[in-house]
Amino acid sequence: MLETSARLLRLLSLLQTPRDWTGTELAERLEVSARTIRNDVERLRALGYPVNATRGSVGGYRLGAGAELPPLLLDDEEAVAVAIGLRTAAGGTIAGVEETSLRALAKLEQVLPSRLRRRVNALQAYTIPVPRDEPGPRVAAETLTVLTACCRDREVLRFGYRAHDGSESVRKVEPYRLVNWGRRWYLVAWDLDRGDWRTFRVDRLTPRVPTGPRFTARELPEDVTDRVRRGVSSAAWRYRADVTVHASAEEVTARINPAVGTVEAVDANTCVLHTGADTIETLAVHLGLLNFPFQVTEPPQLVTYLRELADRYRDATASR
């Protein structure tokens, strides 16, 4: 009986890998007959594991998705990774999953071997998360579920939207992708009323159900991440600036985080940094960290603040 149980666990572990296994391959791995493999597959099915089988020379066995979630087998590294992910989700940007994540984590830690529990607990005990300067907006898990379902099923979506200036409108779009950028979520969609691609902050929209009819998918015009980055650069910041930097575009790109802005080459030794921030002070800090000569002509608030900083730094180093 023990040998049979151990063999079933080993068979289940093999079937969880994303590939098809022939009966002969499984029999060789487990050192049993093909008939035993067929019997073990039936035992797994009786336990609720949906083992799919295909016939033919290229056929085989594969673990599929079922109506219920059967127990999963995780190796040591997978178990630790899941525990870390659940802890992260408990304090993340998706509202409504904290309690669920903690419940799942408690169940996982209860069955972890002591050696793995020590690793997970050590990670928690000796790691100190540093709060972000500006907490990111939170998004309801239900909202993400609705949006991803519309993207998957290609259904027209209507939602109320609050723009950066506080104005509200009702939008009708063909949704395509969700992008998680830092602590914010963005929806890339084709705006049916404006006849163009748009990027929307998910924390500012409220889906309206039921959803609309299905649509024929359009070809995305470019990389989705690049579109979100430009959308963030053009709309999400309160203050924007086009800064001439006396360095090559490659050098500047290597020094900035993609979320800070985009770089446009002028010549081999000059480029323009399209950037911004929610405060003038933050924008000035970003520019100072470039460590390259630069010129700013607008916005006027940034020009004034940089002059004040220059005077302050000069006074700080002047001999007394």
Side-chain angles (χ1 to χ4, degrees):
M1 184 66 179
L2 291 176
E3 291 182 357
T4 301
S5 299
R7 190 177 65 247
L8 285 176
L9 290 174
R10 176 59 179 157
L11 174 59
L12 181 58
S13 178
L14 292 173
L15 291 175
Q16 285 182 168
T17 58
R19 56 160 290 186
D20 290 326
W21 293 88
T22 66
T24 302
E25 290 174 329
L26 293 174
E28 292 176 352
R29 285 293 191 99
L30 300 178
E31 298 180 349
V32 295
S33 67
R35 179 179 179 181
T36 299
I37 292 297
R38 290 194 294 271
N39 291 336
D40 285 349
V41 167
E42 291 304 320
R43 291 189 180 98
L44 289 177
R45 288 170 175 166
L47 292 172
Y49 295 95
V51 182
N52 300 328
T54 56
R55 298 182 179 276
S57 58
V58 294
Y61 296 102
R62 177 189 286 262
L63 190 66
E68 297 179 352
L69 179 64
L72 298 176
L73 288 182
L74 302 174
D75 62 28
D76 287 5
E77 299 305 320
E78 291 171 341
V80 172
V82 171
I84 294 172
L86 288 172
R87 287 197 185 280
T88 303
T93 60
I94 304 177
V97 301
E98 300 93 337
E99 182 181 351
T100 305
S101 299
L102 290 175
R103 288 203 312 267
L105 180 61
K107 292 179 181 178
L108 177 62
E109 290 184 338
Q110 184 178 3
V111 298
L112 282 177
S114 59
R115 66 181 187 280
L116 298 184
R117 192 180 303 113
R118 286 178 53 115
R119 289 175 59 183
V120 173
N121 291 339
L123 181 68
Q124 179 186 17
Y126 295 98
T127 302
I128 302 175
V130 177
R132 294 176 179 263
D133 293 337
E134 297 179 5
R138 296 169 63 79
V139 175
E142 294 81 1
T143 298
L144 293 179
T145 300
V146 171
L147 297 184
T148 52
C150 288
C151 292
R152 178 197 62 201
D153 300 333
R154 298 178 181 175
E155 293 180 342
V156 173
L157 175 69
R158 293 176 66 249
F159 56 84
Y161 192 69
R162 176 176 51 83
H164 184 73
D165 60 4
S167 61
E168 297 186 0
S169 61
V170 176
R171 313 299 282 267
K172 184 178 180 182
V173 305
E174 296 174 354
Y176 282 83
R177 295 289 189 276
L178 275 177
V179 178
N180 180 211
W181 190 283
R183 294 178 64 85
R184 291 176 177 173
W185 291 84
Y186 297 90
L187 173 68
V188 177
W190 176 266
D191 193 311
L192 291 171
D193 294 327
R194 291 157 178 79
D196 197 5
W197 294 97
R198 290 290 188 271
T199 301
F200 301 96
R201 281 262 300 269
V202 175
D203 59 287
R204 293 178 178 166
L205 65 82
T206 305
R208 298 193 175 186
V209 292
T211 55
R214 293 181 181 270
F215 59 87
T216 302
R218 306 171 190 268
E219 183 177 353
L220 287 170
E222 58 195 325
D223 182 77
V224 174
T225 303
D226 287 342
R227 168 161 289 276
V228 171
R229 180 171 59 188
R230 289 212 303 275
V232 170
S233 301
S234 62
W237 292 317
R238 183 179 179 185
Y239 299 99
R240 297 184 62 249
D242 296 330
V243 182
T244 301
V245 184
H246 298 288
S248 68
E250 292 77 12
E251 291 174 311
V252 175
T253 301
R255 284 187 174 272
I256 68 170
N257 185 297
V260 170
T262 58
V263 180
E264 179 183 355
V266 176
D267 54 40
N269 300 309
T270 310
C271 64
V272 176
L273 171 62
H274 305 283
T275 185
D278 290 335
T279 67
I280 288 296
E281 293 80 5
T282 301
L283 186 51
V285 169
H286 288 165
L287 296 178
L289 292 175
L290 286 176
N291 282 335
F292 293 123
F294 63 88
Q295 292 177 318
V296 176
T297 58
E298 57 181 354
Q301 301 97 318
L302 177 60
V303 174
T304 300
Y305 186 71
L306 288 175
R307 288 172 178 164
E308 292 176 358
L309 278 182
D311 293 339
R312 190 177 306 162
Y313 290 153
R314 183 178 59 252
D315 293 342
T317 58
S319 58
R320 298 295 181 181

Coordinates of all heavy atoms in Angstrom, one line a residue, residues 241-247 270-275 287 290 292-299 302-303 306:
A241 N 8.3 67.8 -18.3 CA 9.4 68.6 -18.8 C 10.1 67.9 -19.9 O 10.3 66.7 -19.9 CB 10.4 69.0 -17.7
D242 N 10.6 68.7 -20.9 CA 11.4 68.1 -22.0 C 12.8 68.7 -21.7 O 13.0 69.9 -21.9 CB 10.9 68.5 -23.3 CG 9.5 67.9 -23.6 OD1 9.2 66.8 -23.1 OD2 8.7 68.5 -24.4
V243 N 13.7 67.9 -21.3 CA 15.0 68.4 -20.8 C 16.1 68.0 -21.9 O 16.2 66.8 -22.3 CB 15.4 67.7 -19.5 CG1 16.7 68.2 -19.0 CG2 14.3 68.0 -18.5
T244 N 16.9 69.0 -22.3 CA 18.0 68.7 -23.2 C 19.2 68.3 -22.4 O 19.6 69.0 -21.5 CB 18.4 70.0 -24.0 OG1 17.2 70.4 -24.8 CG2 19.5 69.7 -24.9
V245 N 19.7 67.1 -22.6 CA 20.8 66.5 -21.8 C 22.0 66.4 -22.8 O 21.9 65.9 -23.9 CB 20.4 65.1 -21.3 CG1 21.5 64.6 -20.4 CG2 19.1 65.2 -20.5
H246 N 23.1 66.9 -22.3 CA 24.3 66.8 -23.1 C 25.1 65.5 -22.8 O 26.1 65.4 -22.2 CB 25.2 68.0 -22.8 CG 24.6 69.3 -23.1 ND1 24.4 69.8 -24.4 CD2 24.0 70.3 -22.3 CE1 23.7 70.9 -24.4 NE2 23.5 71.3 -23.1
A247 N 24.5 64.5 -23.4 CA 25.0 63.1 -23.3 C 24.3 62.3 -24.4 O 23.2 62.7 -24.9 CB 24.9 62.5 -21.9
T270 N 23.9 64.5 -27.7 CA 22.8 65.2 -27.2 C 21.5 64.4 -27.3 O 21.3 63.7 -28.3 CB 22.6 66.6 -27.9 OG1 23.9 67.2 -27.9 CG2 21.6 67.5 -27.1
C271 N 20.6 64.6 -26.3 CA 19.3 63.9 -26.4 C 18.3 64.7 -25.6 O 18.7 65.7 -24.9 CB 19.4 62.5 -25.8 SG 19.8 62.4 -24.1
V272 N 17.1 64.4 -25.8 CA 16.0 65.1 -25.0 C 15.3 64.0 -24.1 O 14.9 63.0 -24.6 CB 15.0 65.7 -26.0 CG1 13.8 66.3 -25.2 CG2 15.6 66.8 -26.8
L273 N 15.2 64.3 -22.9 CA 14.6 63.5 -21.9 C 13.2 64.0 -21.7 O 13.0 65.1 -21.2 CB 15.4 63.4 -20.6 CG 14.7 62.7 -19.4 CD1 14.4 61.2 -19.7 CD2 15.5 62.9 -18.1
H274 N 12.2 63.2 -22.0 CA 10.8 63.5 -21.8 C 10.4 62.9 -20.4 O 10.3 61.7 -20.3 CB 9.9 63.0 -22.9 CG 10.3 63.4 -24.3 ND1 10.0 64.7 -24.7 CD2 10.9 62.8 -25.2 CE1 10.5 64.8 -26.0 NE2 11.1 63.7 -26.3
T275 N 10.2 63.7 -19.4 CA 10.1 63.2 -18.1 C 9.0 64.0 -17.3 O 8.5 65.0 -17.9 CB 11.4 63.2 -17.3 OG1 11.2 62.5 -16.1 CG2 11.9 64.6 -17.1
L287 N 16.6 64.9 -12.1 CA 17.5 65.5 -13.1 C 18.9 65.6 -12.5 O 19.9 65.4 -13.1 CB 17.0 66.9 -13.4 CG 15.7 67.0 -14.2 CD1 15.2 68.4 -14.5 CD2 15.8 66.2 -15.5
L290 N 21.1 62.5 -12.8 CA 21.6 62.1 -14.1 C 23.1 62.2 -14.1 O 23.8 61.4 -14.9 CB 21.0 63.0 -15.2 CG 19.5 62.8 -15.5 CD1 19.1 63.8 -16.6 CD2 19.3 61.4 -16.1
F292 N 24.8 64.4 -15.6 CA 25.1 65.0 -16.9 C 24.7 66.5 -17.0 O 23.7 66.8 -16.3 CB 24.4 64.2 -18.1 CG 24.9 62.8 -18.3 CD1 24.0 61.8 -18.2 CD2 26.3 62.5 -18.5 CE1 24.4 60.5 -18.4 CE2 26.7 61.2 -18.7 CZ 25.8 60.2 -18.6
P293 N 25.4 67.3 -17.8 CA 24.9 68.7 -18.0 C 23.5 68.6 -18.7 O 23.3 67.8 -19.6 CB 26.0 69.3 -18.8 CG 27.2 68.4 -18.7 CD 26.7 67.0 -18.4
F294 N 22.6 69.5 -18.2 CA 21.3 69.6 -18.9 C 20.8 71.0 -18.9 O 21.3 71.9 -18.1 CB 20.3 68.6 -18.2 CG 20.1 69.0 -16.7 CD1 19.0 69.9 -16.4 CD2 20.8 68.4 -15.7 CE1 18.8 70.2 -15.1 CE2 20.5 68.8 -14.4 CZ 19.5 69.6 -14.1
Q295 N 19.8 71.2 -19.7 CA 19.2 72.5 -19.8 C 17.6 72.4 -19.7 O 17.1 71.5 -20.4 CB 19.5 73.2 -21.1 CG 21.0 73.7 -21.2 CD 21.3 74.3 -22.6 OE1 20.9 73.8 -23.6 NE2 22.1 75.4 -22.5
V296 N 17.0 73.3 -19.0 CA 15.6 73.2 -18.8 C 15.0 74.6 -19.1 O 15.5 75.6 -18.6 CB 15.2 72.8 -17.3 CG1 13.7 72.9 -17.2 CG2 15.7 71.4 -17.0
T297 N 14.0 74.7 -19.9 CA 13.3 75.9 -20.2 C 11.9 76.0 -19.7 O 11.3 77.1 -19.6 CB 13.3 76.2 -21.7 OG1 12.6 75.1 -22.4 CG2 14.7 76.3 -22.3
E298 N 11.3 74.8 -19.4 CA 9.9 74.8 -18.9 C 9.7 73.5 -18.2 O 10.5 72.5 -18.4 CB 8.9 75.0 -20.0 CG 9.0 74.0 -21.1 CD 8.0 74.2 -22.2 OE1 7.1 75.1 -22.0 OE2 8.0 73.5 -23.2
P299 N 8.7 73.4 -17.3 CA 7.8 74.4 -16.9 C 8.5 75.5 -16.0 O 9.5 75.2 -15.4 CB 6.8 73.7 -16.1 CG 7.5 72.5 -15.5 CD 8.5 72.1 -16.6
L302 N 9.7 74.7 -12.5 CA 10.9 73.9 -12.4 C 12.1 74.8 -12.6 O 13.1 74.6 -11.8 CB 10.9 72.8 -13.4 CG 12.2 71.9 -13.5 CD1 12.4 71.2 -12.1 CD2 12.1 70.9 -14.6
V303 N 12.1 75.7 -13.5 CA 13.2 76.6 -13.7 C 13.5 77.4 -12.5 O 14.6 77.6 -12.0 CB 12.9 77.5 -14.9 CG1 14.0 78.6 -15.1 CG2 12.8 76.7 -16.2
L306 N 15.0 75.1 -9.7 CA 16.4 74.8 -9.9 C 17.3 76.0 -9.6 O 18.4 75.8 -9.1 CB 16.6 74.4 -11.4 CG 16.0 73.0 -11.7 CD1 16.1 72.7 -13.2 CD2 16.7 71.9 -11.0

